[in-house]
Protein backbone atom coordinates (compact mmCIF):
# COMPACT_ATOMS: atom_id res chain seq x y z
CA UNK A 1 0.00 0.00 0.00
CA UNK A 2 2.90 2.39 0.62
CA UNK A 3 3.90 1.89 -2.99
CA UNK A 4 0.37 2.71 -4.13
CA UNK A 5 0.35 5.92 -2.08
CA UNK A 6 3.69 6.72 -3.66
CA UNK A 7 2.07 6.98 -7.09
CA UNK A 8 0.31 10.13 -5.90
CA UNK A 9 2.91 11.61 -3.56
CA UNK A 10 5.88 11.11 -5.86
CA UNK A 11 4.29 12.03 -9.15
CA UNK A 12 6.16 15.38 -9.23
CA UNK A 13 9.02 14.68 -6.83
CA UNK A 14 12.32 15.48 -8.57
CA UNK A 15 14.07 12.76 -6.53
CA UNK A 16 11.84 9.96 -7.69
CA UNK A 17 13.35 7.18 -9.79
CA UNK A 18 11.68 5.58 -12.74
CA UNK A 19 11.76 2.26 -10.90
CA UNK A 20 9.89 3.81 -7.96
CA UNK A 21 7.08 4.85 -10.24
CA UNK A 22 6.96 1.46 -11.95
CA UNK A 23 7.00 -0.33 -8.61
CA UNK A 24 4.11 1.80 -7.36
CA UNK A 25 2.03 1.13 -10.46
CA UNK A 26 2.84 -2.57 -10.17
CA UNK A 27 1.56 -2.56 -6.58
CA UNK A 28 -1.61 -0.78 -7.65
CA UNK A 29 -2.18 -3.28 -10.47
CA UNK A 30 -1.64 -6.19 -8.08
CA UNK A 31 -4.12 -4.70 -5.61
CA UNK A 32 -6.75 -4.37 -8.33
CA UNK A 33 -6.15 -7.97 -9.38
CA UNK A 34 -6.54 -9.19 -5.81
CA UNK A 35 -9.69 -7.14 -5.22
CA UNK A 36 -11.45 -7.67 -8.55
CA UNK A 37 -9.90 -10.46 -10.61
CA UNK A 38 -9.27 -13.00 -7.83
CA UNK A 39 -12.91 -13.04 -6.63
CA UNK A 40 -14.05 -13.34 -10.24
CA UNK A 41 -11.79 -16.38 -10.70
CA UNK A 42 -13.15 -17.86 -7.48
CA UNK A 43 -16.75 -17.28 -8.58
CA UNK A 44 -16.15 -18.95 -11.95
CA UNK A 45 -14.38 -21.94 -10.38
CA UNK A 46 -17.03 -22.27 -7.69
CA UNK A 47 -19.83 -22.15 -10.26
CA UNK A 48 -18.17 -24.78 -12.45
CA UNK A 49 -17.50 -26.99 -9.44
CA UNK A 50 -21.09 -26.61 -8.26
CA UNK A 51 -22.45 -27.59 -11.68
CA UNK A 52 -20.19 -30.65 -11.79
CA UNK A 53 -20.96 -31.73 -8.22
CA UNK A 54 -24.69 -31.20 -8.61
CA UNK A 55 -24.58 -33.34 -11.75
CA UNK A 56 -22.72 -36.05 -9.84
CA UNK A 57 -25.23 -35.86 -7.00
CA UNK A 58 -28.16 -36.19 -9.41
CA UNK A 59 -26.52 -39.18 -11.11
CA UNK A 60 -25.90 -40.88 -7.77
CA UNK A 61 -29.47 -40.31 -6.62
CA UNK A 62 -30.75 -41.76 -9.89
CA UNK A 63 -28.54 -44.87 -9.68
CA UNK A 64 -28.78 -45.66 -5.96
CA UNK A 65 -31.76 -46.89 -4.00
CA UNK A 66 -32.37 -46.99 -0.24
CA UNK A 67 -33.35 -50.27 1.30
CA UNK A 68 -33.53 -51.96 4.69
CA UNK A 69 -30.99 -54.58 5.69
CA UNK A 70 -31.56 -57.07 8.52
CA UNK A 71 -28.61 -57.92 10.75
CA UNK A 72 -27.91 -61.65 10.92
CA UNK A 73 -24.89 -61.74 13.21
CA UNK A 74 -21.63 -60.02 14.05
CA UNK A 75 -18.89 -60.57 11.52
CA UNK A 76 -15.14 -60.01 11.47
CA UNK A 77 -14.02 -57.02 9.48
CA UNK A 78 -13.10 -57.96 5.93
CA UNK A 79 -10.24 -56.33 4.03
CA UNK A 80 -11.30 -53.85 1.40
CA UNK A 81 -14.41 -51.71 1.17
CA UNK A 82 -17.11 -52.07 3.81
CA UNK A 83 -20.28 -50.03 3.33
CA UNK A 84 -21.55 -48.02 6.28
CA UNK A 85 -25.19 -48.38 7.12
CA UNK A 86 -27.04 -45.19 8.00
CA UNK A 87 -27.33 -44.39 11.68
CA UNK A 88 -28.47 -41.64 14.02
CA UNK A 89 -25.04 -40.03 13.86
CA UNK A 90 -22.23 -40.25 11.38
CA UNK A 91 -19.77 -40.20 14.29
CA UNK A 92 -21.41 -43.01 16.28
CA UNK A 93 -19.50 -46.21 16.99
CA UNK A 94 -19.69 -48.87 14.28
CA UNK A 95 -19.77 -52.64 14.41
CA UNK A 96 -19.11 -54.97 11.48
CA UNK A 97 -22.07 -57.27 10.90
CA UNK A 98 -23.35 -59.77 8.34
CA UNK A 99 -26.70 -58.62 6.98
CA UNK A 100 -29.21 -59.49 4.27
CA UNK A 101 -31.32 -57.19 2.10
CA UNK A 102 -33.33 -57.13 -1.10
CA UNK A 103 -31.94 -55.87 -4.39
CA UNK A 104 -34.12 -53.61 -6.59
CA UNK A 105 -35.09 -56.70 -8.63
CA UNK A 106 -36.26 -58.49 -5.48
CA UNK A 107 -33.34 -60.90 -5.19
CA UNK A 108 -31.87 -61.48 -1.76
CA UNK A 109 -28.34 -60.25 -1.11
CA UNK A 110 -25.97 -60.78 1.80
CA UNK A 111 -22.84 -58.96 2.77
CA UNK A 112 -20.74 -57.37 5.47
CA UNK A 113 -21.77 -53.91 6.63
CA UNK A 114 -20.56 -51.44 9.25
CA UNK A 115 -23.72 -50.81 11.29
CA UNK A 116 -24.19 -48.50 14.27
CA UNK A 117 -23.30 -50.40 17.44
CA UNK A 118 -26.78 -49.79 18.91
CA UNK A 119 -28.31 -51.45 15.83
CA UNK A 120 -25.90 -54.38 15.56
CA UNK A 121 -28.00 -57.00 17.38
CA UNK A 122 -29.30 -59.92 15.29
CA UNK A 123 -32.66 -59.04 13.76
CA UNK A 124 -32.06 -55.29 13.89
CA UNK A 125 -32.98 -53.30 10.79
CA UNK A 126 -30.57 -50.79 9.34
CA UNK A 127 -30.97 -48.51 6.35
CA UNK A 128 -28.47 -48.89 3.50
CA UNK A 129 -28.10 -47.78 -0.11
CA UNK A 130 -27.58 -50.12 -3.05
CA UNK A 131 -26.89 -49.74 -6.74
CA UNK A 132 -29.12 -51.20 -9.45
CA UNK A 133 -27.47 -54.60 -9.05
CA UNK A 134 -28.15 -54.67 -5.32
CA UNK A 135 -24.55 -54.06 -4.22
CA UNK A 136 -24.17 -51.82 -1.15
CA UNK A 137 -22.81 -48.37 -1.98
CA UNK A 138 -22.24 -45.15 -0.02
CA UNK A 139 -25.10 -42.75 0.47
CA UNK A 140 -25.50 -40.40 -2.53
CA UNK A 141 -24.22 -36.87 -2.19
CA UNK A 142 -26.91 -34.38 -1.23
CA UNK A 143 -27.40 -30.89 -2.63
CA UNK A 144 -26.14 -29.09 0.47
CA UNK A 145 -22.91 -31.10 0.57
CA UNK A 146 -22.26 -30.48 -3.11
CA UNK A 147 -22.83 -26.76 -2.66
CA UNK A 148 -20.52 -26.64 0.37
CA UNK A 149 -17.73 -28.38 -1.54
CA UNK A 150 -18.21 -25.98 -4.46
CA UNK A 151 -18.02 -23.00 -2.11
CA UNK A 152 -14.75 -24.31 -0.66
CA UNK A 153 -13.41 -24.78 -4.18
CA UNK A 154 -14.33 -21.18 -5.02
CA UNK A 155 -12.66 -19.85 -1.88
CA UNK A 156 -9.55 -21.88 -2.63
CA UNK A 157 -9.42 -20.55 -6.18
CA UNK A 158 -9.81 -16.98 -4.93
CA UNK A 159 -6.98 -17.39 -2.43
CA UNK A 160 -4.77 -19.07 -5.04
CA UNK A 161 -5.37 -16.30 -7.59
CA UNK A 162 -4.61 -13.60 -5.01
CA UNK A 163 -1.48 -15.43 -3.89
CA UNK A 164 -0.34 -15.86 -7.48
CA UNK A 165 -0.76 -12.13 -8.12
CA UNK A 166 1.26 -11.27 -5.03
CA UNK A 167 3.99 -13.77 -5.90
CA UNK A 168 4.21 -12.29 -9.38
CA UNK A 169 4.54 -8.80 -7.92
CA UNK A 170 7.31 -9.89 -5.58
CA UNK A 171 9.24 -11.59 -8.37
CA UNK A 172 8.99 -8.54 -10.60
CA UNK A 173 10.04 -6.20 -7.77
CA UNK A 174 12.98 -8.45 -6.99
CA UNK A 175 14.08 -8.31 -10.60
CA UNK A 176 13.69 -4.53 -10.64
CA UNK A 177 15.79 -4.18 -7.47
CA UNK A 178 18.51 -6.39 -8.91
CA UNK A 179 18.53 -4.29 -12.08
CA UNK A 180 18.75 -1.13 -9.96
CA UNK A 181 21.77 -2.50 -8.09
CA UNK A 182 23.37 -3.55 -11.35
CA UNK A 183 23.05 0.00 -12.72
CA UNK A 184 24.53 1.40 -9.50
CA UNK A 185 27.48 -1.01 -9.78
CA UNK A 186 28.10 0.02 -13.38
CA UNK A 187 27.95 3.71 -12.47
CA UNK A 188 30.32 3.17 -9.57
CA UNK A 189 32.69 1.18 -11.75
CA UNK A 190 32.80 4.10 -14.18
CA UNK A 191 33.29 6.82 -11.53
CA UNK A 192 35.13 4.87 -8.86
CA UNK A 193 38.67 4.99 -10.30
CA UNK A 194 38.57 8.83 -10.28
CA UNK A 195 36.98 9.15 -6.84
CA UNK A 196 39.01 11.54 -4.64
CA UNK A 197 41.74 12.22 -7.20
CA UNK A 198 43.02 15.79 -7.40
CA UNK A 199 41.72 17.56 -10.48
CA UNK A 200 39.19 14.84 -11.22
CA UNK A 201 36.29 17.10 -10.31
CA UNK A 202 35.34 14.98 -7.30
Amino acid sequence: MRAVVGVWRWRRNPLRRATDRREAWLALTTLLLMVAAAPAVGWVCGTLADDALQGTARAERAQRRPTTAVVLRAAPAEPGFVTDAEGPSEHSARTTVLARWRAPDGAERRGVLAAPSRSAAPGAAVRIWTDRAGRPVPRPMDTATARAHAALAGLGATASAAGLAECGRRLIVRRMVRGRYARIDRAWAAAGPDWGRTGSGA
Side-chain angles (χ1 to χ4, degrees), residues 62-137:
Q63 297 171 1
R64 301 177 184 184
R65 298 288 185 272
T67 187
T68 300
V70 178
V71 176
L72 299 178
R73 57 180 173 81
E78 295 182 354
F81 178 75
V82 177
T83 302
D84 283 345
E86 291 187 0
S89 173
E90 294 182 358
H91 302 288
S92 60
R94 298 278 171 167
T95 300
T96 304
V97 298
L98 177 66
R100 59 179 173 81
W101 61 90
R102 294 286 180 181
D105 61 1
E108 183 177 293
R109 297 282 189 272
R110 295 191 178 198
V112 176
L113 305 173
S117 296
R118 66 179 63 181
S119 302
V126 293
R127 181 183 172 90
I128 65 171
W129 290 81
T130 65
D131 59 14
R132 294 174 179 175
R135 294 183 295 266
V137 292

Side-chain angles (χ1 to χ4, degrees), residues 9-85:
R9 290 184 177 178
W10 283 44
R11 67 192 190 283
R12 293 174 181 167
N13 193 319
L15 299 179
R16 76 177 187 275
R17 298 166 296 190
T19 54
D20 293 329
R21 186 171 59 254
R22 288 195 294 268
E23 184 177 344
W25 282 113
L26 175 63
L28 178 59
T29 302
T30 303
L31 179 62
L32 292 176
L33 289 175
M34 295 174 69
V35 171
V41 171
W43 181 82
V44 171
C45 291
T47 300
L48 294 176
D50 185 63
D51 290 342
L53 290 172
Q54 294 296 347
T56 300
R58 286 192 296 270
E60 289 182 352
R61 288 194 295 269
Q63 297 171 1
R64 301 177 184 184
R65 298 288 185 272
T67 187
T68 300
V70 178
V71 176
L72 299 178
R73 57 180 173 81
E78 295 182 354
F81 178 75
V82 177
T83 302
D84 283 345

Side-chain angles (χ1 to χ4, degrees), residues 30 33-34 38 157-167:
T30 303
L33 289 175
M34 295 174 69
T158 299
S160 298
L164 183 61
E166 175 61 15
C167 289

